[in-house]
């Protein structure tokens, strides 16, 4: 059926697979996307949302590199919020609530518009390998399809096993079968495999909920968007989410089912995500907490289906139902489908190169949960990088690798390749040494020139970026040259509880004050006129404001990173008591006490030990 050879075959149509297929095909590789069900391409298997803390930065980076996740999210979101606005800009993280059905539809239509991307519905059961080089794939229908490279993005489907109480059955997610054959073949080729676990909460009928008993959580008054392109626009109307809470009574009901929980009765042996625990795990680990927050999230513009975020569980369905009915607003809840846990195979990512190509088999790439990560965003960025590198290898081009100081994507891949992971890896801002440099607002400045060199960013994108950078530079110059009299700004400064001026000063020195924002200074008419005349928008304002306020911190961060590199060989005493360092994260204390690293360099390579933990360690050691 497939007589000619493809440049790239992508196995799996989830977030990693979609980005990999789009990247390879958009760069010019003849690409085939093979997936078990063409109707579930781009499916949001868990929560109907994109972005969040550090994850939002990744989506922006994907967009800046020419990936599609940001545009797809913008076109299908029903709510937008910028998280952590009360903190510094390094922590600002965009998050969107998505229309689940429209998100998948938009991905499918986007991929279908790429002329040299083909599709095939079948299960890949094996690889064609000769002399440690991949030559194609085999499918359950007996097809052999030749290819110069293969990208595996199997998600939770590799020997997937679903648990609901004592019941267990094979499946990659609810209603879909597991993928068989690939794990066994990879192990026979010399790969090390492991098992991981993740879970998902019940979906319920929104018509059966009483929202008057919950707190409303609306979107931002001035919503933004993910993509830097002109192709999308911010939302003009939004759907609210809601917040409610569990209680001690809810916890008592759940505890009564613990003896039937696969998490506690030994049925599940694999490791689950530390930072996205099930409700039974929360009750067990945080026994002192009388309640836990539940986010009630609509699944789309028109559907009545609701996602119960924070209630991930694998308890028996009757226990789930009884406990949910005790949550305020859920007294008469009707469950569409119960929550469940799923175990699946993964391959420790230390077996990969920085390009995500495997060390054992040339031309074979892994991306997404097969590498031990969790989350749509982490999977999507790996898919993008694997797709780019598969294309580059096939066409004799140089490898494309991002460093830790360039992008969160670089941090993620470096962590995976050098540290590996013993539990589902999730990105956090604390994992990056260069948080102030790697902000969500400047992802295009950092990465779009790289995308343009690759051929993923088009001429109009680079021109738009150049215009933005020029506008920012000119506004910075204007602020540094424009002087203002005390009597003009003192009323504003006093209203903002900051010291009045005693003499004429440059506007940029006023903007550097933490209490003052650029929008406050619009009361100064020359500034308002300049911004209006130059057509400056929020994007440009934020760039200038952040640079003026945080330039000192940025330079300090660079200097600290250099110091850290110099101190990597510093020895750690053999009997060092990590439990005494309360400034270390709980996870770092746990991992350092277990591994007992002998140098700072070794400590840095431990999964779960963040750059801030290393800084604490160095301070305590007097360095």
């Amino acid at each position: 059926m497939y007589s000619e050879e493809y440049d790239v075959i992508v196995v799996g149509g989830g977030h990693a697979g979609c980005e990999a297929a789009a990247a390879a095909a958009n760069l010019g590789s003849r690409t085939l996307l093979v997936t078990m069900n063409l109707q579930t391409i781009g499916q949001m298997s868990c929560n109907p949302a994109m972005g969040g803390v550090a994850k939002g930065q990744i989506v922006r980076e994907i967009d800046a590199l020419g990936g599609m996740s940001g545009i797809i999210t913008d076109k299908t979101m029903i709510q937008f919020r910028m998280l952590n606005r009360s903190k510094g800009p390094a922590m600002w993280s965009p998050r969107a609530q998505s229309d689940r059905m429209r998100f998948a539809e938009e991905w499918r239509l986007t991929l279908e518009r790429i002329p040299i991307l083909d599709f095939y519905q079948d299960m890949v059961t094996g690889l064609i390998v000769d002399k440690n080089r991949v030559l194609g794939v085999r499918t359950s229908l007996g097809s052999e399809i030749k290819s110069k490279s293969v990208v595996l993005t199997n998600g939770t489907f590799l020997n997937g096993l679903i648990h609901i109480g004592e019941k267990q059955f094979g499946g990659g997610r609810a209603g879909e079968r597991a993928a068989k054959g690939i794990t066994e073949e990879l192990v026979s080729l010399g790969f090390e495999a492991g098992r991981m676990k993740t879970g998902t909460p019940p979906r319920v009928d929104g018509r059966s909920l009483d929202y008057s008993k919950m707190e409303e959580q609306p979107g931002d008054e001035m919503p933004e968007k993910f993509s830097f392109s002109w192709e999308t626009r911010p939302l003009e109307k939004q759907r609210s989410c809601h917040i409610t809470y569990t209680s001690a009574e809810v916890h008592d009901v759940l505890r009564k089912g613990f003896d039937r929980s696969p998490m506690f009765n030994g049925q599940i042996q694999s490791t689950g995500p530390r930072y996205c625990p099930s409700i039974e795990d929360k009750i067990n680990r945080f026994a002192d907490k009388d309640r836990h927050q539940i986010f009630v999230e609509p699944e789309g513009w028109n559907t009545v289906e609701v996602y119960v975020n924070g209630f991930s569980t694998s308890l028996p369905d009757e226990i789930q139902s009884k406990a949910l009915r005790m949550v305020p607003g859920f007294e008469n809840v009707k469950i569409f489908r119960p929550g469940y846990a799923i175990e699946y195979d993964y391959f420790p990512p230390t077996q990969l190169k920085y390009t995500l190509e495997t060390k054992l088999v040339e031309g074979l790439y892994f991306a997404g949960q097969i590498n031990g990560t969790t989350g749509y965003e982490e999977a999507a960025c790996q898919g993008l990088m694997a797709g780019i590198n598969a294309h580059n290898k096939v066409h004799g081009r140089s490898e494309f690798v991002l460093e830790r100081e360039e992008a969160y994507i670089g941090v993620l891949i470096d962590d995976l390749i050098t540290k590996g992971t013993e539990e589902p890896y999730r990105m956090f801002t604390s994992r990056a040494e260069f948080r102030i440099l790697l902000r969500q607002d400047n992802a295009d400045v950092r990465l779009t020139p790289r995308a343009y060199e690759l051929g993923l960013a088009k001429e109009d994108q680079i021109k738009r970026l150049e215009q933005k950078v020029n506008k920012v530079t000119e506004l910075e110059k204007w602020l540094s040259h424009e002087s203002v009299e005390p009597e003009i700004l003192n009323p504003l400064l006093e209203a903002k509880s900051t010291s009045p001026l005693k003499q004429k000063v440059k506007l940029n020195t006023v903007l550097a004050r933490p209490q003052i924002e650029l929008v406050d200074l619009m009361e100064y008419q020359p500034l308002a006129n300049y911004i209006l005349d130059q057509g400056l928008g929020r994007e440009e304002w934020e760039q200038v404001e952040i640079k003026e306020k945080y330039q000192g911190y940025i330079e300090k961060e660079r200097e600290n990173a250099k110091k850290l590199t110099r101190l990597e060989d510093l020895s750690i005493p053999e009997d060092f008591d990590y439990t005494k360092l309360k400034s270390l994260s709980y996870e770092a204390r746990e991992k350092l006490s277990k591994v007992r690293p002998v140098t700072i360099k070794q400590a840095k390579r431990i999964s779960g030990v963040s750059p801030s933990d290393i800084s604490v360690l160095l301070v305590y050691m007097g360095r």
Side-chain angles (χ1 to χ4, degrees), residues 53 88 106 119 219 305 321 395 445 461 512 534 560 587:
V53 176
E106 192 62 41
F119 303 86
E305 189 172 357
S321 177
H395 294 277
V445 177
Q461 290 173 276
Q534 299 300 315
N560 283 342
E587 183 180 2

Side-chain angles (χ1 to χ4, degrees), residues 49 78-84 95-97 211 214-221 238-245 293-298 307 309:
I78 62 175
Q79 187 196 87
F80 180 92
R81 294 179 67 220
M82 184 66 77
L83 306 183
N84 291 331
R95 183 183 189 272
Q97 202 68 30
Y211 291 102
M214 308 178 198
E215 302 169 19
E216 184 178 8
Q217 187 184 48
D220 288 351
E221 284 186 23
Q238 303 185 67
R239 277 202 73 175
S240 289
C241 296
H242 289 78
I243 299 172
T244 186
Y245 298 87
Q293 204 169 45
I294 302 293
F295 292 94
V296 184
E297 302 178 346
Y307 181 88
N309 195 344

Side-chain angles (χ1 to χ4, degrees), residues 37 107 127 146 165 244 247 263 339 342 360 389 397 479 489 508 526 560 573 599:
N37 187 352
W107 252 124
L127 301 169
K146 298 293 181 66
T244 186
S247 62
M263 277 191 59
I342 181 167
L360 285 176
N389 279 304
R397 297 178 183 172
L479 290 169
L489 283 189
N508 65 331
N560 283 342
T599 64

